[in-house]
């Protein structure tokens, strides 16, 4: 547990000094590679993005790669999102846990920015262009020898096309630990998008570096609560909280989930309802379908739909596994 304490303490020290490096509201719009920040999986989005400690499925490759060890032996997730202004997002991830405390994942992402008019500085029509982003990542996670802590990392690649194209490499690192005193509680920390600038022609922008501290608590076998503190380069730190309630319906064991979340990033910045999220999921044996709805005030509504498959049970160390009833955890994977 001391290892986790030192890691989390280091994260807190890092967060305390972030304002000197562009982690404040006056730095909005100063980063590039924003596609790295679009969330993966309707379950996590419906919970307000408070998923740093709750991540335990294939989408953990995006939220916190350490959570891959808590996923089923084989798991896959595909997501489609209808975003704002005609933008659409697609994400897929495949994860494998070897049953010995190690796991890896491969994920792909795509954003279609629709079609926009192109003009020169005098306003003359130059036709149109279609912004697109492509991303891919490789992730690895492993439990440490004492079985109380999981660490993980991801290497990511992004190709962003507006009119010209630019490439970027980045890395994520995360940790998840079970609280020894309070059963059902997990603590986590993650750093995302560590890497050099992304450059279009000669101009470069720093990547959207993010530092997160998170917690997830299984209040009961049917209720999960989560909370994150998030510090992004290019904006002021903000918080997110989420909740998930599950119920078994019918003799075949179909699981119905209701989810809600609050993310304070956009509160006060957009007229109308924003910051809240909601969603639902239904799981049939190895297959689940999840939906998330996120309003952005006068800008409109966004929708995310994801499909998940699992094969085999979790093979995480019992002391950390969310499937260990003796430790107060329950499976929240489908």
């Amino acid at each position: 547990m001391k290892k986790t304490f030192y890691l989390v303490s280091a994260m807190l020290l890092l967060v305390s000094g972030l304002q000197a490096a562009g982690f404040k509201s006056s730095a909005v719009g100063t980063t590039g590679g924003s596609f790295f920040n679009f969330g993966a999986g309707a379950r996590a989005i419906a919970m307000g993005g408070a998923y740093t400690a709750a991540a335990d499925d294939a989408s953990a490759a995006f939220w916190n790669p350490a959570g891959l060890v808590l996923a089923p032996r084989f798991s896959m997730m595909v997501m489609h999102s209808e975003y704002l202004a005609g933008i659409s997002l697609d994400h897929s991830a495949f994860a494998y846990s070897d049953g010995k405390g190690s796991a890896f994942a491969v994920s792909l992402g795509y954003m279609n920015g629709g079609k926009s008019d192109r003009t020169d500085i005098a306003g003359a029509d130059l036709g149109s262009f279609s912004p697109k982003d492509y991303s891919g990542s490789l992730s690895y996670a492993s439990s440490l020898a004492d079985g109380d802590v999981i660490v993980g990392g991801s290497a990511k690649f992004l190709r962003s096309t507006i009119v010209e194209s630019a490439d970027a490499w980045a890395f994520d690192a995360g940790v998840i630990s079970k609280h020894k005193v309070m059963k059902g509680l997990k603590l986590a920390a993650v750093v995302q998008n560590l890497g050099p600038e992304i450059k279009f022609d000669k101009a470069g922008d720093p990547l959207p570096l993010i530092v997160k501290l998170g917690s997830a608590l299984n209040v009961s076998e049917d209720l999960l609560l989560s909370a994150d503190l998030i510090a992004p380069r290019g904006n002021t730190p903000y918080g997110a909280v989420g909740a998930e309630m599950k119920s078994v319906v019918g003799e075949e064991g179909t699981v119905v989930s209701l989810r809600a979340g609050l993310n304070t990033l956009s509160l006060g910045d957009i007229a109308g309802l924003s910051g809240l999220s909601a969603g639902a999921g239904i799981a049939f044996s190895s297959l689940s379908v999840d939906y998330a709805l996120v309003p952005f005030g006068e800008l409109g509504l966004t929708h995310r739909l994801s499909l998940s498959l699992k094969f085999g049970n979790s093979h995480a160390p019992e002391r950390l596994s969310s499937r260990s009833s003796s430790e107060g955890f329950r499976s929240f994977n489908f």
Side-chain angles (χ1 to χ4, degrees):
M1 197 66 183
K2 289 183 178 180
K3 298 176 183 177
T4 307
F5 173 78
Y6 293 141
L7 286 169
V8 173
S9 297
M11 293 286 186
L12 288 171
L13 290 173
L14 180 59
V15 170
S16 68
L18 290 180
Q19 292 214 345
F23 290 76
K24 49 190 176 181
S25 58
S26 60
V28 171
T30 60
T31 63
S34 59
F35 184 51
F36 276 148
N37 289 340
F38 285 101
R43 179 192 180 207
I45 298 299
M47 294 174 66
Y51 211 59
T52 301
D56 59 1
D57 51 29
S59 71
F62 173 86
W63 299 100
N64 185 349
L68 293 169
V69 171
L70 303 177
R73 181 174 285 269
F74 296 96
S75 59
M76 181 180 70
M77 184 275 300
V78 293
M79 181 197 78
H80 177 72
S81 173
E82 291 297 326
Y83 207 64
L84 303 171
I87 297 172
S88 65
L89 308 168
D90 294 281
H91 191 96
S92 62
F94 170 81
Y96 168 74
S97 178
D98 68 0
K100 300 178 181 178
S102 296
F104 73 86
V106 177
S107 62
L108 298 172
Y110 171 69
M111 181 186 76
N112 186 335
K115 185 174 289 188
S116 301
D117 295 330
R118 183 184 179 192
T119 60
D120 61 18
I121 58 175
D125 185 12
L126 297 178
S128 62
F129 65 97
S130 299
K132 291 180 174 62
D133 285 340
Y134 305 85
S135 69
S137 70
L138 294 174
S139 306
Y140 176 77
S142 179
S143 60
L144 301 183
D146 60 9
D148 285 326
V149 179
I150 302 173
V151 295
S154 297
K156 308 191 293 187
F157 174 77
L158 171 68
R159 165 153 288 190
S160 183
T161 301
I162 302 178
V163 176
E164 303 294 331
S165 295
D167 297 335
W169 290 91
F171 299 91
D172 297 349
V175 59
I176 294 178
S177 174
K178 179 182 72 73
H179 197 282
K180 284 190 173 182
V181 177
M182 189 172 183
K183 291 183 178 182
L185 176 65
K186 290 184 289 184
L187 303 175
V190 66
V191 178
Q192 295 177 309
N193 308 324
L194 286 164
E197 292 184 336
I198 180 171
K199 291 185 177 181
F200 288 91
D201 195 14
K202 296 181 180 179
D205 292 309
L207 293 179
L209 178 67
I210 300 177
V211 179
K212 298 180 181 180
L213 301 175
S215 62
L217 175 65
N218 285 87
V219 179
S220 68
E221 290 188 343
D222 301 311
L223 178 62
L224 171 68
L225 302 178
S226 61
D228 278 13
L229 173 63
I230 305 159
R233 174 189 280 158
N235 212 329
T236 188
Y238 62 97
V241 293
E244 176 182 62
M245 180 173 290
K246 289 179 174 286
S247 178
V248 178
V249 179
E251 297 180 356
E252 297 181 356
T254 301
V255 179
V256 176
S257 304
L258 296 178
R259 305 176 182 114
L262 171 66
N263 189 304
T264 67
L265 176 61
S266 62
L267 288 181
D269 293 336
I270 305 173
L273 181 63
S274 66
L276 298 175
S277 58
I282 185 167
F284 311 94
S285 183
S286 61
L287 171 68
S288 71
V289 180
D290 299 293
Y291 170 76
L293 173 68
V294 183
F296 281 86
E298 61 185 4
L299 299 179
L301 302 173
T302 66
H303 308 269
R304 287 175 171 86
L305 184 67
S306 61
L307 177 70
S308 301
L309 295 171
K310 76 167 186 178
F311 304 97
N313 296 321
S314 169
H315 291 273
E318 184 176 343
R319 296 162 74 178
L320 264 170
S321 174
S322 61
R323 293 162 180 78
S324 174
S325 58
S326 63
E327 295 293 342
F329 294 104
R330 183 184 177 184
S331 168
F332 285 94
N333 290 295
F334 301 136

